[in-house]
Amino acid sequence: MMQKDLLVEREFRDHRRASRTLPYIVIALAVGAICPAVAARQDTKEKPLSIGITGSTPSDRRKNPTAILGSAKIQKMILEISEAPKSRAEIEVVISGEFFTLDDMVNVGLLRIEEGLYRIDFNLLRVADQKLILDVAEQKGRELAAAFLARRGEFEALAASHEQPHVGNAELLFIILGCFSLDWDGLALTEERGYRAGAQRTIDGHSFTPWAKEKGMALSLEGLYWGSHSSNGSIIHTTFGDHDALPRFGLPDLMWNRGVAFGSYEHLEEGRRAAARLVSTYMADAMDDVASVMLALSERDLSLEVLAARAGIEIDKLERIIALLEEADYVTRQNETYAGRVLVLSADDEVMVRHMLAKGREIMTAWHESYYDGTKAALSDLTPLRNGVPFERVYTEVWHFVFGIANRELVKAGLFADPYAVGRRHKGFLPFIRTSDLDVSAP
């Protein structure tokens, strides 16, 4: 989600945070931002960094690393510190008059003191670092994809147990293996096994890890499938895809990008908060109605009248919902009936899903046992590592490249559906819906 309004963003960031059992929120990025993150808008040319956090931050700007890193002056200083540590006096000259202090920079995880000097303490990647990570991850991602393809028959046999008109096995495998396994469970597994560090800071109930990347890296994110956007509730709407095709014309993204900013009421912070909460309630109602429609169509094609009765929605309201769903390519009209085109998963699919996740975890575990140490050695000269930042904190970035490349290769091999296939109206992602009683954690 592009951050148009901080207040409304915070409301929906908390809404999204409750929808995931994993410690990371995946939110759309500005170009140049690689990790899943809440990305700050950094469009001014003289600013040398793309910045963001993985997780969520408090509203207090002094406790928000992206706010602290928001100016070109501070970003340039951070780059200088990454090359040579600075004293308190040197830093305080630069930040004099700012809304934050040096201690704030330490508290949010940007800097740490060592032998009387301040060094960077977070994942700051220079252009050379980014190129090295990409080079290393390219081969490792292909090897990970090959390990999944070696068990292709097992996955396709399991996928055949899910019967849904107009949704193929390749769509299902893209979601269960690409999203649930490689993305969500991959993050859980790597943290559980100590390969990857969790949130760097927890402040006022918000957990986050800051990151920054030097601009200038020419990189297309097309085909690197590593980003999921999810809603909350008994029915969960998700889009999963790359960060090249943004914004996504699907749910919940359409609701997040509704354009309600309450910008004319900046002097009424609590009023804006109350308005945002009210709007979020009606947005949830709208997504519940969409879910009712898609659940009904996941069983069979239905006429408008029968669909209204099944979903419990008045005809005139249903017509407006259908109009949006046709534009979003969730449904198509076939003569006098409507057909659902989006994957719907429920508790009935749990045995199949958990079998796939168990196999995916076996593959990822074996891959890490074979390649993690070599990957760490190959990346030992990264800027944050030279500054004493643990590799485990950097590995969130590395793992996203590895599994994103693996997903790209599995699409090329035909095991996964292609989000850029000819005939797909909205490219770069696939939407899906699941009931909250479906356990998508690995056994």
Side-chain angles (χ1 to χ4, degrees):
M1 177 181 64
M2 291 307 189
Q3 191 172 355
K4 295 181 179 178
D5 178 81
L6 287 173
L7 171 65
V8 177
E9 148 61 19
R10 287 200 299 273
E11 295 297 325
F12 286 91
R13 182 175 59 208
D14 292 342
H15 183 64
R16 292 191 301 273
R17 184 153 58 100
S19 74
R20 292 285 301 276
T21 58
L22 301 178
Y24 289 90
I25 313 300
V26 182
I27 302 175
L29 308 179
V31 173
I34 305 303
C35 294
V38 180
R41 296 292 295 272
Q42 297 297 323
D43 299 328
T44 307
K45 290 183 179 180
E46 68 268 17
K47 294 179 182 177
L49 300 176
S50 296
I51 63 175
I53 59 99
T54 302
S56 67
T57 55
S59 58
D60 186 343
R61 291 196 302 160
R62 293 179 57 177
K63 300 175 182 179
N64 184 337
T66 58
I68 290 173
L69 289 175
S71 71
K73 176 179 69 174
I74 302 304
Q75 290 184 13
K76 290 173 182 176
M77 181 188 73
I78 285 290
L79 286 173
E80 291 173 2
I81 295 174
S82 75
E83 295 300 323
K86 289 183 179 291
S87 68
R88 173 177 283 272
E90 290 174 304
I91 295 173
E92 287 185 337
V93 167
V94 177
I95 68 174
S96 176
E98 294 286 349
F99 64 88
F100 58 88
T101 67
L102 175 54
D103 290 339
D104 291 329
M105 298 185 76
V106 173
N107 290 339
V108 300
L110 296 176
L111 298 175
R112 76 177 188 284
I113 188 168
E114 186 176 292
E115 298 180 351
L117 297 175
Y118 289 85
R119 296 179 177 274
I120 64 166
D121 196 33
F122 72 111
N123 191 21
L124 168 64
L125 298 175
R126 308 298 296 264
V127 169
D129 300 324
Q130 297 171 56
K131 290 179 179 177
L132 180 58
I133 289 174
L134 181 59
D135 289 344
V136 171
E138 182 68 36
Q139 181 59 35
K140 303 304 181 187
R142 290 174 182 270
E143 290 164 343
L144 181 58
F148 274 84
L149 289 171
R151 301 179 69 170
R152 181 172 190 157
E154 299 173 47
F155 291 125
E156 290 179 333
L158 284 168
S161 66
H162 178 82
E163 297 181 1
Q164 183 180 341
H166 315 296
V167 174
N169 289 351
E171 283 84 358
L172 181 141
L173 291 171
F174 180 80
I175 298 305
I176 297 179
L177 295 181
C179 180
F180 296 173
S181 181
L182 282 162
D183 185 356
W184 296 358
D185 191 46
L187 289 172
L189 171 68
T190 51
E191 186 173 351
E192 289 169 13
R193 298 296 179 94
Y195 297 124
R196 188 180 63 84
Q200 184 177 348
R201 291 286 191 274
T202 297
I203 301 176
D204 295 346
H206 294 265
S207 297
F208 59 88
T209 299
W211 57 259
K213 296 177 181 65
E214 185 180 24
K215 295 177 181 178
M217 171 69 172
L219 170 67
S220 171
L221 303 181
E222 182 176 322
L224 296 181
Y225 303 110
W226 60 27
S228 63
H229 305 164
S230 289
S231 67
N232 195 10
S234 59
I235 307 295
I236 300 169
H237 297 262
T238 304
T239 60
F240 179 71
D242 66 25
H243 284 144
D244 186 69
L246 294 176
R248 297 172 181 170
F249 200 83
L251 292 171
D253 308 64
L254 281 167
M255 297 300 181
W256 296 347
N257 288 289
R258 69 202 180 284
V260 179
F262 308 109
S264 299
Y265 303 97
E266 292 180 355
H267 60 297
L268 300 173
E269 182 173 352
E270 290 305 314
R272 294 171 68 213
R273 186 181 302 279
R277 286 174 176 163
L278 178 63
V279 169
S280 70
T281 299
Y282 285 101
M283 287 167 54
D285 290 343
M287 288 197 289
D288 285 345
D289 285 342
V290 169
S292 296
V293 169
M294 299 310 301
L295 285 168
L297 293 178
S298 70
E299 299 175 358
R300 61 182 63 85
D301 300 353
L302 299 170
S303 67
L304 190 66
E305 292 74 16
V306 174
L307 180 56
R310 290 281 183 90
I313 301 172
E314 301 87 347
I315 286 286
D316 61 338
K317 184 178 181 182
L318 179 60
E319 287 176 340
R320 294 193 291 272
I321 294 170
I322 288 292
L324 173 63
L325 294 180
E326 284 187 286
E327 287 300 315
D329 220 15
Y330 277 49
V331 304
T332 56
R333 183 171 182 174
Q334 300 180 344
N335 297 321
E336 298 303 316
T337 63
Y338 290 92
R341 299 187 60 187
V342 170
L343 175 68
V344 177
L345 295 169
S346 71
D348 292 340
D349 299 298
E350 186 160 318
V351 172
M352 178 263 294
V353 169
R354 287 175 69 79
H355 275 309
M356 284 200 196
L357 289 175
K359 293 176 186 295
R361 180 164 274 229
E362 289 174 9
I363 293 169
M364 290 187 289
T365 299
W367 183 92
H368 277 90
E369 290 172 350
S370 297
Y371 297 112
Y372 182 82
D373 288 343
T375 300
K376 182 177 180 179
L379 297 173
S380 61
D381 196 41
L382 295 177
T383 297
L385 302 185
R386 293 199 307 271
N387 280 269
V389 177
F391 180 72
E392 292 76 16
R393 195 177 296 165
V394 179
Y395 191 61
T396 295
E397 172 83 5
V398 178
W399 174 242
H400 273 82
F401 267 106
V402 170
F403 83 74
I405 289 167
N407 278 336
R408 181 197 69 196
E409 295 303 304
L410 293 171
V411 168
K412 289 181 179 179
L415 180 65
F416 291 174
D418 184 357
Y420 286 91
V422 175
R424 196 176 293 282
R425 182 181 299 181
H426 304 293
K427 300 183 185 298
F429 71 96
L430 294 187
F432 66 96
I433 294 169
R434 64 184 171 96
T435 58
S436 61
D437 57 358
L438 171 63
D439 187 353
V440 296
S441 60

